Amino acid sequence: MLSHDRVWAAIDALAERYSLSASGLARRAGLDSTAFNKSKRLSSDGRPRWPSTESLAKIIEATGASLEEFTVLVEGRRGPVEPQRTAVPLLGFAQAGAGGFFDDAGYPSGQGWDLVELPTRAAETSYALKVQGDSMLPLYRNGDVLIVEPGAPTRKGDRVVVKTTAGEVMAKVLDRQTAASIVLVSLNPVHPDRDIPMRDVEWVARIVWASQ
């Protein structure tokens, strides 16, 4: 039976399964870090406070879990589904800016990629980028691994990796995209936002998972 206690227990279990705290799970999903705190589970008058369906959808997407996996956790059944491990191609941002690694649509091409194994599901066309430097602080640190999915639908507020025709590769937040240009908000306030003509954009790929 679906209950307030079971839903919150499932959120805690999902965080633990992916080696996260409840706060870490919230941050990975793009939510306020206190969204899943114990104090947020009851209102000031003691009534149960339920997580929104949007929040649940975001944590499922952020971890790469399936709806079935989360349902098993809610039901508290024995023998829960284990997260599937997936090996995807891995390269650094400098490599991504060089030629020969991608086709025109931004999909990995060629042979001899290094591989990284992930505790999460990934689309067949997904690949990994290793963060280099501090341009993406405070969200992503040097050495963090970003999983990107070329061709995935994007919308305002999504974190994306963009490659320009000049070979520049950047991770930013999508503000808006039109036929004429793409507007990107920098993760690090030290670095400027960008408004890039679409004629200068080689590809855009949505970030679907990140190590923390």
Side-chain angles (χ1 to χ4, degrees), residues 55-105:
S55 295
L56 296 179
K58 285 184 174 181
I59 62 173
I60 289 172
E61 179 182 10
T63 57
S66 65
L67 181 59
E68 177 190 5
E69 185 176 340
F70 187 74
T71 300
V72 167
L73 295 174
V74 171
E75 294 176 348
R77 288 185 285 173
R78 293 184 179 275
V81 177
E82 292 298 326
Q84 177 181 334
R85 302 187 71 89
T86 305
V88 297
L90 170 69
L91 73 163
F93 269 65
Q95 290 175 296
F101 287 100
F102 302 96
D103 62 19
D104 291 341

Side-chain angles (χ1 to χ4, degrees), residues 2-212:
L2 188 65
S3 71
H4 174 266
D5 288 344
R6 285 306 320 156
V7 170
W8 282 111
I11 290 173
D12 291 337
L14 187 69
E16 182 178 0
R17 174 168 291 185
Y18 290 91
S19 302
L20 297 165
S21 64
S23 295
L25 177 61
R27 286 194 298 270
R28 177 174 293 183
L31 303 170
D32 185 280
S33 62
T34 66
F36 299 146
N37 282 6
K38 302 288 187 183
S39 60
K40 295 293 184 71
R41 303 181 185 189
L42 295 174
S43 63
S44 57
D45 59 3
R47 289 182 298 174
R49 178 178 287 162
W50 294 72
S52 69
T53 53
E54 181 182 11
S55 295
L56 296 179
K58 285 184 174 181
I59 62 173
I60 289 172
E61 179 182 10
T63 57
S66 65
L67 181 59
E68 177 190 5
E69 185 176 340
F70 187 74
T71 300
V72 167
L73 295 174
V74 171
E75 294 176 348
R77 288 185 285 173
R78 293 184 179 275
V81 177
E82 292 298 326
Q84 177 181 334
R85 302 187 71 89
T86 305
V88 297
L90 170 69
L91 73 163
F93 269 65
Q95 290 175 296
F101 287 100
F102 302 96
D103 62 19
D104 291 341
Y107 292 94
S109 63
Q111 304 293 325
W113 292 72
D114 290 331
L115 297 177
V116 59
E117 192 172 71
L118 306 171
T120 184
R121 295 171 178 81
E124 185 177 350
T125 54
S126 296
Y127 58 92
L129 290 172
K130 181 175 285 188
V131 174
Q132 296 166 314
D134 62 359
S135 65
M136 298 172 218
L137 289 172
L139 193 58
Y140 301 130
R141 300 164 297 178
N142 184 56
D144 281 351
V145 173
L146 310 180
I147 305 304
V148 299
E149 187 176 326
T154 57
R155 60 186 178 184
K156 180 180 176 67
D158 282 346
R159 297 163 190 168
V160 295
V161 174
V162 176
K163 182 181 179 182
T164 68
T165 54
E168 184 181 7
V169 179
M170 65 197 85
K172 295 185 183 293
V173 176
L174 177 63
D175 183 56
R176 66 180 182 274
Q177 182 176 351
T178 68
S181 69
I182 184 170
V183 179
L184 304 167
V185 177
S186 292
L187 301 170
N188 188 331
V190 173
H191 295 265
D193 298 341
R194 300 287 295 273
D195 186 347
I196 306 172
M198 287 306 297
R199 65 176 179 273
D200 296 334
V201 174
E202 189 167 317
W203 49 256
V204 179
R206 182 159 62 92
I207 299 172
V208 296
W209 185 87
S211 66
Q212 297 291 319

